[in-house]
Amino acid sequence: MTSLNLGLPFNSAAGRRLRRQPHKPATRLTFKRAYTSVMIVPTGVGAAIGGYAGDALPVARALASVVDCLISHPNVLNAAMLYWPMPNVLYVEGYALDRFAEGRWALQPVHQNKVGLVLDAGIEKDLRIRHLQVVDATRASLGLPVVEYTVTDAALQVEKWVDPNSGQSTGRIRHPDSLLRAVGTLVERFEGIDLLAGVEAVISHLVVEKFGIPCAHAPALLPFPLSPSLCPKSAAEEIGYTFLPCVLAGLSNAPQYLVYNSKSLGKDSIVVEDVDSVILPIDACGGDGALAFATRKTNRPLIIAVEENETVLSDTPEKLGIRAVKVSNYWEAIGVVAAHKAGIDPISLRRDRINNIPSSFIPFNGCANLLA
């Protein structure tokens, strides 16, 4: 059984409809619109890269240096005690990312969110004090605007397990009503939430669906026994008893979620039509968001499937009938994105991949018309 911390970024823009302005790059002068990529590594599916605490973060950092705007989610951007500030990266909870991909929600970047914290009543007293000390440290040393906390009126009783059929981790909370009451209390006072793989998605989706606010999780765990031999991918989880720093940093400037209405969105709001490319594991193309991106009738982004990043899933582009560029690893994926952004056919960078252009003659009344 696991206890959770929950943090909430509050912004009065949440849920309201504003007038849309074109999405513009925030940096150098250019005559092109901002190039936007989405990086997805599903939670709880045993991803070779992104299945640990923060091991997909180097990919996100490299990708962010190439694109104008990168949209990703906590499973990619969180690294337990570690985090890395990236001004052109949007921290979007998974449920919200799916709604964005479906064209139902838009993203409104902000300069700052006030953050509230919900603590599970099931957290041991000493561990609760430690986590509040961590919060104060982020306020004093990082300047994060964490303004208040509350404790649920009952232990949430978080349970987690691995589905024997799919191999995915999942879970539930026995008292979701207690969680929602606590979140509602802070929302009323301020006008967002910080919610372990699998079960984290269950909890965060519940909150985002109910309140339409940014959300991420931070499990509260007692320190693990010291291990002299540890995989570097797991090290971020072992250097402390809290996951709060990366979550609070992410939520402090996470975009707010707006109902998508093409006539009434916010200044510099970002909508699904702005997305140019989507990068995801080769066998994880069956999620709601991935399918929504891949099956768009217009403004369909380039789908890039990374073969090296395998998961327990089997949802490959071929099985789903998705047109995708398959690459061996994230090195190649970033190269494809760089070429795409430059307006270059990525295939032209490969040896002997460009063949003679085919001709197409259309017989018409005994004649042949060539359209050039």
Side-chain angles (χ1 to χ4, degrees), residues 43-125:
T43 302
V45 297
I49 301 171
Y52 300 81
D55 63 310
L57 187 53
V59 178
R61 290 184 57 195
L63 188 56
S65 73
V66 174
V67 303
D68 296 306
C69 175
L70 175 63
I71 300 169
S72 196
H73 53 108
N75 189 54
V76 170
L77 301 174
N78 285 351
M81 287 283 286
L82 308 177
Y83 81 101
W84 195 269
M86 293 176 283
N88 64 328
V89 176
L90 297 181
Y91 185 92
V92 180
E93 192 274 338
Y95 178 89
L97 185 54
D98 288 345
R99 303 295 81 76
F100 169 77
E102 293 165 354
R104 294 167 54 186
W105 288 6
L107 305 177
Q108 180 64 57
V110 302
H111 290 295
Q112 182 191 85
N113 292 310
K114 293 180 179 179
V115 181
L117 185 70
V118 176
L119 298 174
D120 185 348
I123 299 175
E124 297 88 343
K125 180 180 178 181

Side-chain angles (χ1 to χ4, degrees), residues 127-195:
L127 191 56
R128 180 189 302 178
I129 293 173
R130 289 292 189 185
H131 279 79
L132 291 175
Q133 290 172 342
V134 169
V135 174
D136 284 341
T138 63
R139 296 169 63 221
S141 299
L142 302 179
L144 299 186
V146 188
V147 295
E148 188 172 338
Y149 81 94
T150 189
V151 180
T152 60
D153 54 25
L156 299 182
Q157 296 187 7
V158 180
E159 300 175 347
K160 58 185 186 296
W161 63 87
V162 174
D163 187 315
N165 297 317
S166 67
Q168 293 181 249
S169 65
T170 185
R172 65 182 176 185
I173 55 174
R174 288 192 172 273
H175 298 293
D177 52 336
S178 179
L179 170 64
L180 295 178
R181 283 194 296 270
V183 174
T185 297
L186 287 182
V187 169
E188 288 176 4
R189 291 174 62 84
F190 293 93
E191 278 227 358
I193 190 163
D194 170 36
L195 285 184

Side-chain angles (χ1 to χ4, degrees), residues 4 7 11 16 40 60 85-86 91 102 111 117 137 144 157 176 183 197 209 217-218 231 276 323 349 358:
L4 295 176
N11 189 294
R16 73 187 184 190
I40 300 173
M86 293 176 283
Y91 185 92
E102 293 165 354
H111 290 295
L117 185 70
L144 299 186
Q157 296 187 7
V183 174
E209 182 178 12
H217 90 291
C231 172
D276 297 282
R323 187 170 60 194
L349 305 184

Side-chain angles (χ1 to χ4, degrees), residues 33 35-40 71 100-102 271-280 289-305 322-325 336-337 340:
R33 66 175 178 81
Y35 185 98
T36 301
S37 282
V38 174
M39 178 180 171
I40 300 173
I71 300 169
F100 169 77
E102 293 165 354
V271 297
V272 64
E273 288 87 352
D274 294 321
V275 175
D276 297 282
S277 58
V278 178
I279 303 95
L280 69 172
L291 288 175
F293 283 124
T295 58
R296 286 189 56 78
K297 302 300 183 184
T298 59
N299 299 98
R300 183 183 302 167
L302 179 68
I303 306 297
I304 304 172
I322 292 174
R323 187 170 60 194
V325 175
V336 169
V337 168
H340 193 233

